[in-house]
Amino acid sequence: MSRPSTGWSGGAEWLRGEGEASDVVMSSRARIARNLAGYPFMTKATSEDRVQVLDLCRRRILSDEFKRASGAESVMWVDLHDVDKLERQVLVERHLISRQHARGKLTTGKGGADQPRGVAIGLPSERVAVMVNEEDQLRIQVIRSGLALSQLLEQIDRIDDALEQGLDYAFHPRFGYLTACPTNIGTGIRFSVMLHLPALKLTGEIERVKRAAEDMSLAVRGFYGEGSDAVGDLYQVSNQTTLGKSEHVLVHELEREIVPRIIDYERHARRTLLEKRRAATDDRTNRALGVLRTARLLGVEESMQLLSHVRLGVLLGLLEGVEQQRVNHLMLLVQQAHLQCSATRELSQQERRIERAKLVRKSLGGT
Amino acid sequence: MLCENCGQHEATIHEVLIKGGTKMEKHLCEVCAQVAASEPSSNLPINELISKYMVSPGVHAGEASEAREAPAPTVCPSCAMTVREFRQSGLLGCPVCYSVFEDQLGPLIERAHEGGACHVGKTPRRALDSGRERGDVERLLGDTRERAERLGALRKQLTDAVEREQYERAAQLRDEMRRVASVLGGDVGGNAGDGEQA
């Protein structure tokens, strides 16, 4: 098996900072949940069931039809029960598997790291990932930078059809595609948009936006999904309901009605910062860059917060000589497992803080 | 302007909420706004939904007396998942569970999906294309009554969208209705997935 942590030169295309509204929208993601007819869900699956499902799905995923539909140059398969914790953590940080899939445990506590499960990753872009034997047997994900839900729906639809060519999905006339948790049934699709909202945070309006989004049946979560904090002022907005609305209607609501409104809010708040609090904003963003260029010890959260302010400064034209894409990528590279991977031996917490500071200084032209 | 909640203090927080397509304005003073913010949102986690909305045998005594001749099933014959286990974990055991526990799950599912009770959207394409017999189509998409219900739900959403002048959305709903109707009318030759396929 290829080591996920090495030889990935390009990758994580969703951090490129391209596409529609990329000043506010970091990335868009679509994910569908599917299960096979005739097999129990993970809660009741025996080891033999899991192995069989894994085998069936892997064969389908490694087919030419899948590769064509995914648009990837090659598809890498990773048996997660065979790789160590660090490599699984790298995949989590790259948003290619969920934290739950890394642990191999269901929310019930059942399972463990040795449970037969895997992930397929479309290379080199890492736009497509398919988890097998997570909470549902198949979780297909496509991700892109910028606001791109319509394109994602088209792509995920093709991938789903390619997989279904050789698999029998569990489907119910009333409840649609069946999933282990009743909150995912129907289309089984969840769209999410990762937004960078530093100005709304600074002007104190973020709570209002969060409440308004929740009132519109949307979930607002942090950088790493359910239960994670909004580090670096990054928020994920996603649909809560999957039954009773078609995929197209959901895309329309999010992409044309709801997300543009949040984008406008953030842009308005950024203008306000420039017009009414220019000196303070100039100071804050320059200080953030100054700290990142000179600090000798850096923690993850502190780095993320400072990078968020630097990104804001770059977008407001207050900081020169720093590229937005570089800042985006640093948000990934400062994460714990990525940092550990670039070292040749295991680092203590203090050593990681030293290495992180060194990496950031070097990348941002510090001293 | 005074706070619309307490009517005593100046309203300093002004919010425009769009819920279910209806625009609502809120004008609150700081104190009332804080109280409002601390109230739980409408998005309940699965465990809370289960405890509040899952119909369990014997809970609704009045309704149960009418349906006493057919007690609700408590265990899935296919995977041995019990209602009790589901209540604890929020996860079902197999596809058959949905049919076995359909009546008990109904209210919970409707609440979890903001009133959505019936699937609208994609159906397994290959299964539908290869299943030319009416029986196969019904197994996948439900019988005529169920499909008519789905069409009714879509029609209602379409009327709402037109009333609110959301024409782009209305057009999508109309396409969706065409897809459902093409199967409903007996034209079962694999037309359910037409339209957006590349």
Side-chain angles (χ1 to χ4, degrees), chain A residues 41 43-44 108 157 160-161 164 167 171 173-174 177 179-180 182 185 208 211 216 240 242 246-247 253, chain B residues 15 18 37 43 85 89 92-93 98 102 113 119 122-127 140 142 150 157 169 176 197:
Chain A
F41 298 146
T43 33
K44 288 287 178 187
T108 56
D157 195 35
D160 183 42
D161 287 346
E164 200 231 350
L167 299 169
F171 188 84
R174 178 176 165 198
Y177 291 94
T179 55
I185 54 169
R208 235 162 69 183
R211 271 212 312 282
M216 288 183 280
Q240 283 273 43
T242 50
S246 75
E247 296 85 346
E253 282 183 359
Chain B
E15 271 189 320
I18 315 257
N43 302 319
E85 265 179 277
S89 70
L92 289 162
Y98 280 96
E102 186 168 349
H113 295 277
H119 174 58
K122 189 172 181 177
T123 46
R125 291 212 168 94
R126 178 191 53 87
L140 271 177
R150 194 175 309 160
Q157 286 181 35
R169 181 171 174 180
E176 189 71 39
Q197 253 304 69

Side-chain angles (χ1 to χ4, degrees), chain B residues 84-102:
Chain B
R84 179 197 285 261
E85 265 179 277
F86 170 66
R87 282 173 165 278
Q88 279 167 358
S89 70
L91 299 173
L92 289 162
C94 73
V96 180
C97 288
Y98 280 96
S99 304
V100 176
F101 304 128
E102 186 168 349

Side-chain angles (χ1 to χ4, degrees), chain A residues 152-175:
Chain A
L152 289 179
L153 175 57
E154 222 172 86
Q155 191 182 9
I156 207 166
D157 195 35
R158 277 200 306 271
I159 295 171
D160 183 42
D161 287 346
L163 289 178
E164 200 231 350
Q165 286 295 322
L167 299 169
D168 254 332
Y169 285 156
F171 188 84
H172 185 281
R174 178 176 165 198
F175 296 137

Side-chain angles (χ1 to χ4, degrees), chain A residues 262-280:
Chain A
I262 304 178
I263 294 171
D264 284 348
Y265 264 138
E266 169 67 19
R267 285 179 179 159
H268 180 261
R270 289 182 190 180
R271 278 197 301 276
T272 307
L273 286 178
L274 266 189
E275 286 161 16
K276 303 206 170 126
R277 289 156 64 175
R278 192 181 179 101

Side-chain angles (χ1 to χ4, degrees), chain A residues 35-101:
Chain A
N35 288 279
L36 305 187
Y39 284 91
F41 298 146
M42 287 304 121
T43 33
K44 288 287 178 187
T46 60
S47 284
E48 200 181 317
D49 291 328
R50 282 169 178 257
V51 171
Q52 271 185 34
V53 167
L54 192 70
D55 207 41
L56 277 170
C57 295
R58 180 177 43 210
R59 224 177 300 157
R60 204 51 223 150
I61 289 167
L62 296 176
S63 70
D64 287 343
E65 286 101 325
F66 175 83
K67 200 173 112 184
R68 255 200 310 279
S70 72
E73 281 173 28
S74 63
V75 177
M76 175 171 76
W77 174 266
V78 183
D79 277 318
L80 290 167
H81 45 276
D82 279 346
V83 301
D84 63 32
K85 199 175 162 191
L86 180 63
E87 297 197 351
R88 297 198 302 266
Q89 192 54 35
V90 168
L91 296 173
V92 172
E93 290 176 1
R94 293 180 92 84
H95 289 242
L96 293 167
I97 62 171
S98 62
R99 292 191 288 190
Q100 182 177 330
H101 205 40

Side-chain angles (χ1 to χ4, degrees), chain A residues 70-348:
Chain A
S70 72
E73 281 173 28
S74 63
V75 177
M76 175 171 76
W77 174 266
V78 183
D79 277 318
L80 290 167
H81 45 276
D82 279 346
V83 301
D84 63 32
K85 199 175 162 191
L86 180 63
E87 297 197 351
R88 297 198 302 266
Q89 192 54 35
V90 168
L91 296 173
V92 172
E93 290 176 1
R94 293 180 92 84
H95 289 242
L96 293 167
I97 62 171
S98 62
R99 292 191 288 190
Q100 182 177 330
H101 205 40
R103 286 193 298 267
K105 273 190 180 176
L106 291 174
T107 45
T108 56
K110 189 185 168 187
D114 59 345
Q115 288 299 315
R117 67 199 191 286
V119 63
I121 300 157
L123 295 179
S125 66
E126 297 170 39
R127 271 185 178 167
V128 175
V130 183
M131 291 189 278
V132 181
N133 285 350
E134 207 240 25
E135 180 181 292
D136 293 302
Q137 289 155 358
L138 280 164
R139 289 262 174 117
I140 310 163
Q141 156 184 301
V142 287
I143 190 163
R144 276 183 199 218
S145 65
L147 185 60
L149 296 179
S150 308
Q151 294 98 304
L152 289 179
L153 175 57
E154 222 172 86
Q155 191 182 9
I156 207 166
D157 195 35
R158 277 200 306 271
I159 295 171
D160 183 42
D161 287 346
L163 289 178
E164 200 231 350
Q165 286 295 322
L167 299 169
D168 254 332
Y169 285 156
F171 188 84
H172 185 281
R174 178 176 165 198
F175 296 137
Y177 291 94
L178 297 179
T179 55
C181 182
T183 54
N184 293 321
I185 54 169
T187 55
I189 201 159
R190 227 173 268 289
F191 294 103
S192 60
V193 178
M194 177 133 44
L195 300 156
H196 184 224
L197 307 175
L200 285 171
K201 185 74 187 292
L202 285 172
T203 57
E205 293 164 284
I206 192 72
E207 287 306 317
R208 235 162 69 183
V209 172
K210 270 171 81 172
R211 271 212 312 282
E214 279 164 5
D215 282 337
M216 288 183 280
S217 322
L218 297 173
V220 182
R221 299 183 169 128
F223 190 38
Y224 283 108
E226 211 164 340
S228 69
D229 294 329
V231 288
D233 305 320
L234 293 167
Y235 296 84
Q236 282 192 63
V237 173
S238 54
N239 60 300
Q240 283 273 43
T241 62
T242 50
L243 183 70
K245 278 183 189 168
S246 75
E247 296 85 346
H248 291 92
V249 167
L250 275 173
V251 164
H252 181 80
E253 282 183 359
L254 268 172
E255 191 165 56
R256 297 282 154 244
E257 293 172 9
I258 297 163
V259 174
R261 216 173 298 157
I262 304 178
I263 294 171
D264 284 348
Y265 264 138
E266 169 67 19
R267 285 179 179 159
H268 180 261
R270 289 182 190 180
R271 278 197 301 276
T272 307
L273 286 178
L274 266 189
E275 286 161 16
K276 303 206 170 126
R277 289 156 64 175
R278 192 181 179 101
T281 309
D282 199 15
D283 178 66
R284 189 186 292 273
T285 54
N286 272 288
R287 262 175 203 269
L289 183 59
V291 172
L292 290 173
R293 278 180 170 163
T294 52
R296 262 48 188 170
L297 292 175
L298 275 176
V300 183
E301 270 182 43
E302 186 188 7
S303 315
M304 291 293 282
Q305 191 54 64
L306 293 168
L307 285 167
S308 167
H309 286 158
V310 168
R311 190 175 188 274
L312 176 68
V314 171
L315 289 164
L316 291 179
L318 297 171
L319 299 178
E320 279 174 19
V322 185
E323 298 153 28
Q324 185 194 332
Q325 196 181 337
R326 182 176 295 262
V327 180
N328 289 358
H329 267 110
L330 275 175
M331 286 182 162
L332 179 64
L333 297 176
V334 297
Q335 301 296 324
Q336 205 158 311
H338 273 77
L339 201 71
Q340 180 64 61
C341 272
S342 56
T344 44
R345 60 182 177 86
E346 197 167 330
L347 303 174
S348 68

